[in-house]
Short mmCIF file of all heavy atoms in Angstrom, two decimals:
data_model
loop_
_atom_site.label_atom_id
_atom_site.label_comp_id
_atom_site.label_asym_id
_atom_site.label_seq_id
_atom_site.Cartn_x
_atom_site.Cartn_y
_atom_site.Cartn_z
N CYS F 389 -11.87 49.76 5.69
CA CYS F 389 -13.33 49.84 5.75
C CYS F 389 -13.84 50.61 4.55
O CYS F 389 -13.38 51.70 4.26
CB CYS F 389 -13.76 50.55 7.04
SG CYS F 389 -15.56 50.61 7.20
N ARG F 390 -14.79 50.00 3.84
CA ARG F 390 -15.40 50.70 2.71
C ARG F 390 -16.91 50.50 2.74
O ARG F 390 -17.55 50.36 1.72
CB ARG F 390 -14.79 50.26 1.38
CG ARG F 390 -14.65 48.76 1.20
CD ARG F 390 -14.20 48.37 -0.17
NE ARG F 390 -15.19 48.74 -1.16
CZ ARG F 390 -16.31 48.05 -1.42
NH1 ARG F 390 -16.59 46.95 -0.76
NH2 ARG F 390 -17.16 48.47 -2.35
N ILE F 391 -17.46 50.53 3.95
CA ILE F 391 -18.90 50.30 4.07
C ILE F 391 -19.69 51.60 3.98
O ILE F 391 -20.91 51.57 4.09
CB ILE F 391 -19.26 49.53 5.36
CG1 ILE F 391 -18.95 50.37 6.60
CG2 ILE F 391 -18.55 48.19 5.42
CD1 ILE F 391 -19.56 49.78 7.88
N CYS F 392 -19.01 52.73 3.86
CA CYS F 392 -19.77 53.95 3.57
C CYS F 392 -18.96 54.79 2.58
O CYS F 392 -17.76 54.59 2.42
CB CYS F 392 -20.12 54.72 4.85
SG CYS F 392 -19.02 56.07 5.27
N ALA F 393 -19.62 55.74 1.96
CA ALA F 393 -18.99 56.48 0.88
C ALA F 393 -18.17 57.68 1.35
O ALA F 393 -17.69 58.46 0.55
CB ALA F 393 -20.05 56.91 -0.14
N MET F 394 -18.00 57.80 2.67
CA MET F 394 -17.00 58.76 3.16
C MET F 394 -15.60 58.16 3.02
O MET F 394 -14.62 58.88 2.95
CB MET F 394 -17.25 59.12 4.62
CG MET F 394 -18.57 59.82 4.86
SD MET F 394 -18.66 60.56 6.50
CE MET F 394 -18.92 59.14 7.57
N GLY F 395 -15.56 56.82 3.00
CA GLY F 395 -14.28 56.11 2.93
C GLY F 395 -13.87 55.90 1.49
O GLY F 395 -14.26 56.68 0.64
N PRO F 396 -13.12 54.88 1.18
CA PRO F 396 -12.59 53.90 2.13
C PRO F 396 -11.60 54.51 3.13
O PRO F 396 -10.85 55.40 2.77
CB PRO F 396 -11.86 52.88 1.23
CG PRO F 396 -12.13 53.27 -0.18
CD PRO F 396 -12.71 54.63 -0.20
N CYS F 397 -11.65 53.96 4.35
CA CYS F 397 -10.72 54.38 5.38
C CYS F 397 -9.80 53.21 5.70
O CYS F 397 -10.27 52.07 5.76
CB CYS F 397 -11.48 54.76 6.65
SG CYS F 397 -12.66 56.10 6.42
N ARG F 398 -8.52 53.51 5.88
CA ARG F 398 -7.59 52.45 6.26
C ARG F 398 -6.89 52.90 7.53
O ARG F 398 -6.46 54.05 7.64
CB ARG F 398 -6.53 52.20 5.20
CG ARG F 398 -7.05 52.29 3.80
CD ARG F 398 -5.97 52.07 2.81
NE ARG F 398 -5.01 53.16 2.71
CZ ARG F 398 -4.16 53.27 1.70
NH1 ARG F 398 -4.11 52.35 0.76
NH2 ARG F 398 -3.31 54.27 1.66
N ILE F 399 -6.80 51.99 8.46
CA ILE F 399 -6.23 52.33 9.75
C ILE F 399 -4.71 52.12 9.72
O ILE F 399 -4.23 51.06 9.34
CB ILE F 399 -6.87 51.50 10.87
CG1 ILE F 399 -8.40 51.73 10.88
CG2 ILE F 399 -6.26 51.83 12.22
CD1 ILE F 399 -8.83 53.18 11.01
N ARG F 405 -8.17 56.24 13.35
CA ARG F 405 -9.63 56.15 13.26
C ARG F 405 -10.11 56.52 11.86
O ARG F 405 -9.51 57.35 11.18
CB ARG F 405 -10.29 57.08 14.28
CG ARG F 405 -10.16 56.55 15.71
CD ARG F 405 -10.82 57.44 16.73
NE ARG F 405 -10.54 56.96 18.08
CZ ARG F 405 -11.34 56.13 18.76
NH1 ARG F 405 -12.47 55.71 18.24
NH2 ARG F 405 -11.00 55.74 19.98
N GLY F 406 -11.24 55.90 11.45
CA GLY F 406 -11.86 56.27 10.19
C GLY F 406 -12.51 57.64 10.32
O GLY F 406 -12.53 58.23 11.41
N ILE F 407 -13.07 58.12 9.23
CA ILE F 407 -13.66 59.47 9.25
C ILE F 407 -14.80 59.55 10.26
O ILE F 407 -14.96 60.54 10.97
CB ILE F 407 -14.12 59.85 7.82
CG1 ILE F 407 -12.87 60.00 6.93
CG2 ILE F 407 -14.93 61.15 7.83
CD1 ILE F 407 -13.17 60.15 5.46
N CYS F 408 -15.57 58.46 10.41
CA CYS F 408 -16.67 58.44 11.38
C CYS F 408 -16.16 58.27 12.81
O CYS F 408 -16.92 58.35 13.76
CB CYS F 408 -17.65 57.33 11.05
SG CYS F 408 -16.91 55.70 11.21
N GLY F 409 -14.87 57.99 12.94
CA GLY F 409 -14.31 57.81 14.28
C GLY F 409 -14.19 56.36 14.70
O GLY F 409 -13.78 56.06 15.82
N CYS F 410 -14.55 55.45 13.80
CA CYS F 410 -14.47 54.03 14.16
C CYS F 410 -13.00 53.62 14.32
O CYS F 410 -12.15 54.01 13.51
CB CYS F 410 -15.13 53.19 13.07
SG CYS F 410 -15.34 51.48 13.57
N ILE F 415 -13.64 48.14 12.99
CA ILE F 415 -13.54 47.84 11.55
C ILE F 415 -13.24 46.36 11.32
O ILE F 415 -13.92 45.69 10.54
CB ILE F 415 -12.47 48.74 10.89
CG1 ILE F 415 -12.97 50.19 10.88
CG2 ILE F 415 -12.14 48.27 9.47
CD1 ILE F 415 -11.97 51.22 10.37
N ARG F 418 -16.37 44.33 12.30
CA ARG F 418 -17.46 44.43 11.33
C ARG F 418 -17.14 43.60 10.09
O ARG F 418 -18.01 42.91 9.55
CB ARG F 418 -17.69 45.88 10.91
CG ARG F 418 -18.39 46.71 11.96
CD ARG F 418 -18.89 48.04 11.41
NE ARG F 418 -17.87 48.83 10.76
CZ ARG F 418 -17.69 50.15 10.96
NH1 ARG F 418 -18.46 50.80 11.82
NH2 ARG F 418 -16.77 50.81 10.29
N HIS F 533 -23.57 47.70 9.52
CA HIS F 533 -23.77 48.89 8.69
C HIS F 533 -23.06 50.08 9.34
O HIS F 533 -22.77 50.07 10.54
CB HIS F 533 -25.28 49.17 8.57
CG HIS F 533 -25.61 50.27 7.60
ND1 HIS F 533 -25.63 51.60 7.95
CD2 HIS F 533 -25.93 50.22 6.28
CE1 HIS F 533 -25.95 52.33 6.89
NE2 HIS F 533 -26.13 51.52 5.86
N MET F 534 -22.80 51.06 8.54
CA MET F 534 -22.18 52.28 9.06
C MET F 534 -22.99 52.80 10.26
O MET F 534 -24.22 52.85 10.22
CB MET F 534 -22.20 53.35 7.95
CG MET F 534 -21.40 54.59 8.23
SD MET F 534 -22.34 55.82 9.13
CE MET F 534 -21.00 56.66 9.97
N GLY F 535 -22.28 53.10 11.32
CA GLY F 535 -22.95 53.73 12.45
C GLY F 535 -23.77 52.80 13.32
O GLY F 535 -24.59 53.25 14.10
FE1 SF4 T 2129 -14.67 55.17 7.03
FE2 SF4 T 2129 -16.43 54.98 9.06
FE3 SF4 T 2129 -17.29 55.01 6.53
FE4 SF4 T 2129 -15.96 52.89 7.44
S1 SF4 T 2129 -17.94 53.61 8.14
S2 SF4 T 2129 -15.66 53.91 5.47
S3 SF4 T 2129 -14.48 53.84 8.86
S4 SF4 T 2129 -16.21 56.66 7.60
#
Side-chain angles (χ1 to χ4, degrees):
C389 182
R390 47 173 295 282
I391 66 168
C392 97
M394 297 194 285
C397 301
R398 321 179 289 194
I399 302 304
R405 287 181 186 266
I407 293 170
C408 65
C410 191
I415 291 175
R418 284 193 307 226
H533 187 274
M534 190 273 153

